[in-house]
């Protein structure tokens, strides 16, 4: 199962010999610039923007510069093993695609959720499919091929609807349920506020609701006849300010692995653990929710310690393969990206996502080769990573 991810560079150099340059950017900065030009302004600002003056969003990416891998020589790291075991699944890479609610709109054809699933099928990188989707979760799952997918739940206030969404995710074949806790209310986002733009209020990304029997039963008329009323109903039930008292109910919703997303405090991790979750997901939502200042990466070591062996997923600010390696070295079991794959999609559909994922994996693999860390366990060993 071990793949030679670094070989992507050989493909690129070889194509160069025959006069073909890579279609897409090899750096995040260039990818971002080109995505800005390619996306409609409202989608661009929704995807690229964050909370407040975006200090936390910037801090997320800058935090990686505070850490450096210590090179080791004479290791003979000719083969690298990036495989991980997660929830009983053997994954070819430690990379995941974070749930992105408007990913559908990032594609030229408006079906970015499907393109993302196809990219997952082609790369083996699991997609965490958002509740907020342009296509129903069943249609998304059908495109995943042999790659496992996880379903991300935004818990509505209507418990029957939550149960229905989870049941549908199980039936569709998703392999884990990721409950996002940090977005029961939308954070203060000046970029979107400046244009009065909130995609869901314009009827976007609501396919999992409008296709749900429990949601439909709440409406006087089918959403196809009265989409406005469906949006209004959605605004009334979307956000549920859960408390720890709700965890037993969440746990009872599924026998699939249950993951809580948005945990940054070790005490919260301990409570999650005590409540029987199967994994914790350290994230500050890419700085989109609270402009609180703390980069998610800085929270990771304490989260890993409190998780005490429970799998820890991580995202927020990962822009390069080197960033992913650092998060893994700090103890993350798997690392997710959000905006990077959204930009790849905006530029070249599923091919663009595949390029972004392969580039991240190639860089990570080559870093591990050059610095002499052939396995993820080696990265986690004492002394591998130093604070700069
Ligand atoms: C998100 N994120 C997100 N998270 C989630 O649990 N459900 C969702 O529907 C969304 N939607 C969403 C939309 C957009 C446009 C973005 C950029 C992000 C957060 C996402 O899962 C992840 O936490 C961050 O994107 C990670 O940070 P980076 O990689 O974008 O810095």
């Amino acid at each position: 199962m071990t793949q030679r991810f670094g070989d992507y560079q050989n493909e690129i150099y070889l194509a160069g010999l025959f006069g073909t340059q890579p279609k897409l950017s090899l750096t995040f900065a260039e990818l971002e610039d080109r995505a800005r030009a390619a996306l409609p302004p409202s989608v661009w600002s929704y995807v690229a923007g964050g909370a407040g003056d975006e200090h936390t969003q910037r801090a997320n990416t800058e935090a990686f510069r505070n850490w450096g891998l210590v090179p080791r020589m004479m290791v003979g790291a000719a083969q690298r093993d990036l495989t991980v075991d997660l929830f009983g699944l053997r994954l070819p890479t430690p990379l995941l695609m974070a749930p992105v609610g408007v990913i559908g709109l990032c594609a030229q054809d408006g079906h970015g959720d499907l393109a993302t699933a196809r990219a997952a099928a082609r790369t083996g990188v699991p997609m965490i499919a958002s509740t907020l989707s342009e296509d129903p979760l069943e249609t998304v799952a059908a495109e995943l091929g042999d790659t496992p997918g996880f379903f991300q739940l935004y818990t509505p206030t209507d418990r029957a609807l939550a149960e229905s969404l989870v049941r549908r995710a199980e039936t569709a074949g998703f392999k884990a349920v990721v409950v996002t806790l940090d977005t029961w209310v939308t954070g203060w986002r000046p970029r979107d506020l400046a244009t009065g733009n909130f995609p869901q209020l314009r009827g976007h990304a609501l396919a999992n609701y409008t296709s749900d029997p429990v949601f439909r039963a709440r409406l006087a008329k089918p959403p196809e006849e009265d989409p406005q009323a469906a949006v209004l109903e959605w605004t009334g039930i979307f956000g549920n300010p859960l408390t720890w008292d709700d965890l037993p109910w969440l746990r009872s919703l599924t026998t699939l692995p249950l993951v809580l997303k948005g945990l940054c405090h070790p005490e919260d991790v301990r409570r999650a653990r005590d409540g029987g979750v199967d994994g914790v997901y350290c994230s500050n939502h890419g700085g989109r929710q609270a402009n609180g200042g703390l980069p998610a990466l800085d929270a990771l070591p304490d989260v890993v310690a409190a998780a005490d062996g429970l799998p820890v997923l991580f995202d927020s600010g990962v822009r390069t393969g080197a960033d992913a390696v650092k998060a893994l070295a700090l103890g993350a079991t798997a690392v997710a990206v959000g905006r990077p794959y959204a930009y790849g999609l905006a530029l070249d559909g599923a091919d663009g996502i595949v390029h972004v994922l392969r580039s991240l994996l190639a860089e990570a693999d080559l870093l591990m080769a050059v610095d002499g860390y052939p396995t993820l366990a080696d990265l986690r060993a004492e002394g591998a990573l130093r604070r700069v």
Side-chain angles (χ1 to χ4, degrees):
M1 182 99 107
T2 40
Q3 290 175 46
R4 300 173 62 95
F5 296 105
D7 285 357
Y8 190 36
Q9 72 171 356
N10 302 346
E11 267 177 51
I12 294 174
Y13 287 135
L14 198 66
L17 282 182
F18 295 96
T20 307
Q21 306 289 320
K23 199 165 156 194
L24 290 190
S25 325
L26 276 304
T27 64
F28 179 77
E30 204 184 318
L31 191 73
E32 190 179 36
D33 267 357
R34 289 180 55 187
R36 181 188 295 122
L39 285 168
S42 62
V43 179
W44 162 256
S45 63
Y46 185 77
V47 175
D53 68 3
E54 301 180 355
H55 166 76
T56 300
Q57 186 169 311
R58 284 188 298 280
N60 277 342
T61 54
E62 283 157 15
F64 288 89
R65 300 185 187 181
N66 298 329
W67 294 96
L69 202 59
V70 183
R72 301 299 303 271
M73 295 298 118
M74 308 281 277
V75 175
Q79 305 279 339
R80 280 79 56 198
D81 183 0
L82 276 78
T83 56
V84 290
D85 292 312
L86 186 62
F87 312 138
L89 303 164
R90 185 127 186 94
L91 302 176
T93 90
L95 203 60
L96 305 169
M97 285 186 274
V100 171
V102 294
I103 201 69
L105 297 182
C106 292
Q108 307 270 344
D109 66 357
H111 294 283
D113 303 276
L114 302 183
T116 304
R118 289 178 195 131
R122 285 168 55 187
T123 56
V125 174
M127 168 189 190
I128 309 175
S130 172
T131 303
L132 294 169
S133 174
E134 290 294 327
D135 285 284
L137 62 92
E138 291 81 0
T139 319
V140 175
E143 299 291 338
L144 289 168
D146 293 334
T147 302
F150 305 155
F151 178 69
Q152 177 264 323
L153 178 72
Y154 276 135
T155 314
T157 49
D158 179 343
R159 282 191 166 198
L161 177 56
E163 282 159 23
S164 176
L165 289 167
V166 171
R167 201 67 57 239
R168 288 171 57 195
E170 285 175 339
T171 308
F174 285 97
K175 300 286 187 257
V177 174
V178 175
V179 180
T180 299
L181 301 175
D182 59 14
T183 311
W184 54 271
V185 62
T186 307
W188 181 253
R189 297 180 188 165
R191 287 206 218 195
D192 297 330
L193 291 162
T195 53
N197 173 50
F198 196 70
Q200 293 87 309
L201 293 183
R202 299 176 184 198
H204 292 300
L206 300 184
N208 280 331
Y209 299 88
T210 54
S211 61
D212 193 279
V214 175
F215 183 78
R216 292 175 75 93
R218 298 176 61 100
L219 305 171
K221 285 187 192 164
E224 299 76 23
E225 276 174 39
D226 193 350
Q228 207 76 38
V231 170
L232 259 182
E233 187 66 20
W234 175 82
T235 58
I237 51 96
F238 172 74
N240 188 341
L242 297 168
T243 72
W244 290 108
D245 292 339
D246 293 306
L247 183 52
W249 167 71
L250 279 175
R251 180 62 280 185
S252 77
L253 285 179
T254 185
T255 53
L256 286 176
L258 181 72
V259 182
L260 297 186
K261 178 170 186 271
L263 300 186
C264 293
H265 195 295
E267 189 52 36
D268 290 350
V269 174
R270 279 189 280 274
R271 294 192 82 155
R273 217 174 170 275
D274 293 347
V277 306
D278 301 280
V280 297
Y281 193 148
C282 176
S283 163
N284 63 17
H285 215 99
R288 299 168 64 74
Q289 277 297 89
N291 196 32
L294 184 74
L297 191 71
D298 287 14
L300 180 60
D302 287 347
V303 165
V304 169
D308 198 19
L310 211 60
V312 176
L313 314 189
F314 173 82
D315 76 27
S316 295
V318 175
R319 297 290 173 263
T320 66
D323 293 345
V325 165
K326 291 176 191 180
L328 292 164
L330 285 172
T333 315
V335 175
V337 285
R339 294 179 184 90
Y341 84 85
Y343 297 157
L345 171 64
L347 292 171
D348 200 18
D351 286 349
I353 301 180
V354 170
H355 167 79
V356 167
L357 298 176
R358 291 191 72 193
S359 300
L360 288 165
L361 289 167
E363 189 191 349
D365 184 34
L366 292 168
L367 177 64
M368 289 165 69
V370 173
D371 276 354
Y373 292 91
T375 70
L376 301 176
D378 292 319
L379 283 175
R380 290 177 190 129
E382 190 74 29
L385 200 67
R386 274 234 307 260
R387 201 158 176 114
V388 176

